[in-house]
Amino acid sequence: IGVLVRLALIGAESGLGMSITYVPAFIAATVYGGRRWGWATLAAATLLGVIWPSAFARAGPLIALQTMYLVSGVITVWVSGELRAALIGLDETRRQEAEIRRALDEAEARLKLAQEAGGVGVWDWNLDTGEAHWSSAVHRNLGLDDGEPPNVETMLRVTHPEDRPRLLEMGRQARDGRFEPVEYRVVGSDGAVRWLLSRGEVVEANGARRAIGVNIDVTERRRAEAELRESELRFRTLAD
C-alpha cells in the first residue's frame, strides 16, 4: 500500500525511497503480528529491492544503500519487537491486577456477608486522635442508624447504665496497651436489652496506636445460660 501511494503521489522516476516507505510497515507488522511478521516483511522488502534496484532512490552506491536499508530494517524490527513485548507485559500486568482486585472484592463481599449473617461488627479506634470507624453491623448491634457518629459518647448513650463503667475501664486499658474482652448490655429504643461481647487488640500502624476488634451479639448465649441456671436451681430445689 505504501509503494502504491508513493507511486501515485510522486511517480516512479524519483525512486520509491524504500526506507521511508517500508519502515512504518515493519513497525506495524512487528507490533501487531510479532517479530515473525516483521522479519517476513523485511525479507519481502529486501527481495523487492534486489529484484527491482530502481526502487532505491539513488543517493549513493546501490550496495551501500541496500546494506544500510537492511541494517535499519533489522534494528527497526528488533526495537518494535521489544515494544510489543513491553506492551504485552503491561497488558498482562493490568489483567492480573484486575483479577486480583476482583478476587479481593469477592473476598471482601463474602467476609462482609459472613459478618452480617453472624452479627459480627468490626470497629477501628485511633487511640491518639479518638477517631473511630464502625461497620454497619456495629451500628445494628448497638441498635443505631448507620448515620450515627461512631464515638464513645454514642456508645455510652445506648449502653445499660450499670455497664458504662465497664466500657470506660475497657477504654483505659486500651490506652495502656491492654485489651480484655468485655460483655455489656445495650438498651434499644424499644427498651429491649441485648448483650454484646467486645474484644480486640491494640496495634501500632503508620506511627499511630489503634485498637481494632469486633463486637458480637451474644444475647442468645446469655439467655441460654440464664435458662440453664434457672433449670439447675429448680432441679436443686426439687432435690432438696
Side-chain angles (χ1 to χ4, degrees), residues 127-194:
L127 298 175
D128 297 327
T129 65
E131 183 181 7
H133 298 279
W134 294 348
S135 69
S136 59
V138 172
H139 285 85
R140 188 173 64 252
N141 288 345
L142 294 174
L144 299 170
D145 296 331
D146 286 346
E148 292 278 359
N151 53 43
V152 176
E153 291 75 16
T154 301
M155 179 177 290
L156 291 178
R157 176 165 53 85
V158 297
T159 301
H160 194 285
E162 296 178 1
D163 296 339
R164 288 171 185 168
R166 196 179 307 167
L167 282 183
L168 292 174
E169 177 61 24
M170 180 188 69
R172 284 190 289 269
Q173 290 179 357
R175 289 187 177 91
D176 292 336
R178 298 181 295 118
F179 206 111
E180 298 294 333
V182 60
E183 293 188 6
Y184 58 97
R185 290 165 291 178
V186 294
V187 183
S189 58
D190 56 356
V193 177
R194 290 179 296 108

Side-chain angles (χ1 to χ4, degrees), residues 56-73:
F56 287 94
R58 294 303 180 86
L62 179 60
I63 296 299
L65 290 174
Q66 290 176 332
T67 301
M68 289 302 299
Y69 172 75
L70 182 59
V71 171
S72 299

Side-chain angles (χ1 to χ4, degrees), residues 52-131:
W52 189 8
S54 61
F56 287 94
R58 294 303 180 86
L62 179 60
I63 296 299
L65 290 174
Q66 290 176 332
T67 301
M68 289 302 299
Y69 172 75
L70 182 59
V71 171
S72 299
V74 169
I75 295 174
T76 302
V77 171
W78 183 82
V79 172
S80 300
E82 292 299 311
L83 174 62
R84 172 185 167 84
L87 293 174
I88 292 176
L90 178 61
D91 183 68
E92 179 65 18
T93 300
R94 289 177 176 173
R95 185 186 65 80
Q96 292 177 354
E97 290 177 349
E99 290 180 354
I100 292 173
R101 283 196 298 269
R102 183 168 58 252
L104 289 175
D105 290 341
E106 292 175 354
E108 183 178 356
R110 287 194 298 269
L111 177 60
K112 184 176 180 180
L113 180 61
Q115 291 172 349
E116 297 288 337
V120 179
V122 180
W123 49 264
D124 183 350
W125 177 25
N126 189 314
L127 298 175
D128 297 327
T129 65
E131 183 181 7

